[in-house]
Amino acid sequence: RAAEVDPNGYVIYCPCMGRFGNQMEQHLGAFHFAAVLGRTMVLPPLVGHEPRSTIAKMTAFEDVFQLAVIKKHFKSITLAEFQRDIAPRIWPKEQRKAFCWTPRKASNGGEETGEEPSCRAKDGNPFGPFWDHIGVEEFAESVFYGQTTGGFNVGSIKEKEKWMTSYPPSSFPVLAFVGAPATFPSQQKHWHYQKHFRYSTRITSRAKAFIEDRLERPFVGIHLRNDVDWARVCEHVDPSRNLFASAQCLGEPPQDVALSREMCLPSARTVLDQIVDAVGRSGAKSVFVASDRDHMIEEINEALSAYDVKAYKLDDNDAFVSLAVLELADEFIGNCVSTFSSVVSRSRAHKWNKPKASHFWGYRKL
Ligand code: GFB
């Protein structure tokens, strides 16, 4: 059966920034934005990259998350349904407007002379491939919403009214954003939305099977973010400020703990000491390691030899299955700065009836 058109309109956006953790930070605010405006959210594909490649790879939202749970809490539609049933009826080519905060510069760096200011919605990667995937050959116009409204903050009635009067659904049935209409990182008041992002049965059953077959409970789950790109992020550590997802352990604004390099890029000593400590404290019988590069399995096994506890990793290192295992772990130690870790800490805090605590590398109270 064809989906009915929502008279309140739609929100669609490119999760064009960063990888999964970064995108998840923005989904929280973007879903809130659509909900406040009463619009239907077009469930965005996840924009990924093949390892060591810059070529964008789109994964359907419903391949990663449980559609029924999302639909129960957010008025939403799959991209496939939107393309098939809605776009042809309400979003003709000549009315496709791209929304961005301010005009974007050309990806080749130089301002092309004489060109109108534009969102350049399809310029660069993953922007071009994303809108191609949506089936948008080109946008007819750009709208710079940063100048005319309070931005995507729709916390107050006044801000909401501004959006409704500036861009009413009757003349703007589809708000198509070049980037998520949300802050990065997420705002603490939106963290609870994480509970509605339940992994698909395919992912959850793989995670549960791995726990059952390979791990022994209780188990400690850890996230080691140690690929080479991460060291560059950690150069920006400033003790007085939050960086990326660090509000997950420091709070917003930071309280009682100063951000340190050791929290961002912990030494092997710190990692091993904290694992031994967590195993000793919790009586864990196994350790699950998720990492983007070095899982440190041998070093961990050696450090735990006295406990007769071993460390394990997934055979295929699937990122979503890793996240699903980590959110089910009895203890979790993550990277305070990483948004990949923050997906886990938010899930642990909000998904289950009984919240699960999270710990972080190098975290020391002042
Ligand atoms: O998720 P993410 O935005 O978090 O990006 P950060 C990190 C990506 O690295 C993940 C992979 O989406 C995964 O593809 N990855 C990280 C992992 N940890 C693991 C792991 O334990 N297992 C597996 N299988 N994959 C930011 C980026 O990373 O890092 C920024 O998003 C930027 O855009 C910066 O690149 C350097 O916040 O950790």
Side-chain angles (χ1 to χ4, degrees), residues 1-6 10 40 42 71 76-92 96 134 173-174:
R1 214 161 62 91
E4 306 264 335
V5 172
D6 180 356
Y10 295 81
T40 296
V42 181
K71 285 201 161 181
S76 50
I77 184 171
T78 63
L79 175 59
E81 282 179 299
F82 176 76
Q83 285 170 311
R84 190 191 62 205
D85 302 337
I86 307 297
R89 285 153 76 190
I90 64 163
W91 208 34
R96 291 178 179 173
I134 306 296
V174 180

Side-chain angles (χ1 to χ4, degrees), residues 194-322:
Q194 188 72 44
K195 64 177 170 287
H196 307 312
F197 292 77
R198 301 220 171 212
Y199 296 112
S200 65
T201 321
R202 183 184 57 89
I203 294 168
T204 319
S205 54
R206 280 195 56 201
K208 287 188 172 159
F210 183 84
I211 294 171
E212 185 106 328
D213 299 345
R214 305 280 288 279
L215 303 176
E216 211 183 325
R217 280 203 189 262
F219 76 93
V220 176
I222 66 167
H223 176 219
L224 299 177
R225 180 73 167 90
N226 53 22
D227 205 353
V228 283
D229 63 333
W230 193 245
R232 284 196 294 277
V233 170
C234 298
E235 284 169 13
H236 299 284
V237 164
D238 172 340
S240 63
R241 285 206 313 217
N242 271 320
L243 175 65
F244 275 52
S246 65
Q248 69 180 313
C249 78
L250 301 182
E252 178 69 68
Q255 280 156 17
D256 302 336
V257 179
L259 188 61
S260 65
R261 232 185 119 73
E262 198 59 11
M263 289 170 76
C264 192
L265 204 62
S267 63
R269 191 69 271 145
T270 293
V271 168
L272 296 174
D273 284 352
Q274 278 185 245
I275 295 172
V276 171
D277 192 49
V279 166
R281 187 180 44 189
S282 67
K285 300 219 168 66
S286 60
V287 174
F288 171 71
V289 188
S291 174
D292 50 342
R293 190 175 68 117
D294 182 3
H295 290 74
M296 297 179 66
I297 298 289
E298 276 180 32
E299 296 97 310
I300 296 170
N301 283 343
E302 203 180 302
L304 290 174
S305 55
Y307 288 91
D308 198 24
V309 166
K310 291 215 163 13
Y312 301 87
K313 64 187 178 93
L314 295 178
D315 297 326
D316 66 354
N317 206 27
D318 184 280
F320 294 114
V321 177
S322 300

Side-chain angles (χ1 to χ4, degrees), residues 36-107:
V36 169
L37 294 187
R39 286 175 175 263
T40 296
M41 174 64 93
V42 181
L43 296 171
L46 284 85
V47 180
H49 304 278
E50 294 295 349
R52 323 268 163 232
S53 159
T54 53
I55 298 165
K57 178 175 165 269
M58 313 292 161
T59 306
F61 186 93
E62 60 273 24
D63 285 350
V64 175
F65 298 112
Q66 284 183 37
L67 205 50
V69 181
I70 282 286
K71 285 201 161 181
K72 200 168 145 196
H73 298 281
F74 298 105
K75 192 163 63 160
S76 50
I77 184 171
T78 63
L79 175 59
E81 282 179 299
F82 176 76
Q83 285 170 311
R84 190 191 62 205
D85 302 337
I86 307 297
R89 285 153 76 190
I90 64 163
W91 208 34
K93 283 191 173 122
E94 61 283 3
Q95 282 178 28
R96 291 178 179 173
K97 300 180 177 87
F99 276 67
C100 56
W101 184 265
T102 47
R104 279 176 74 222
K105 290 209 171 96
S107 61

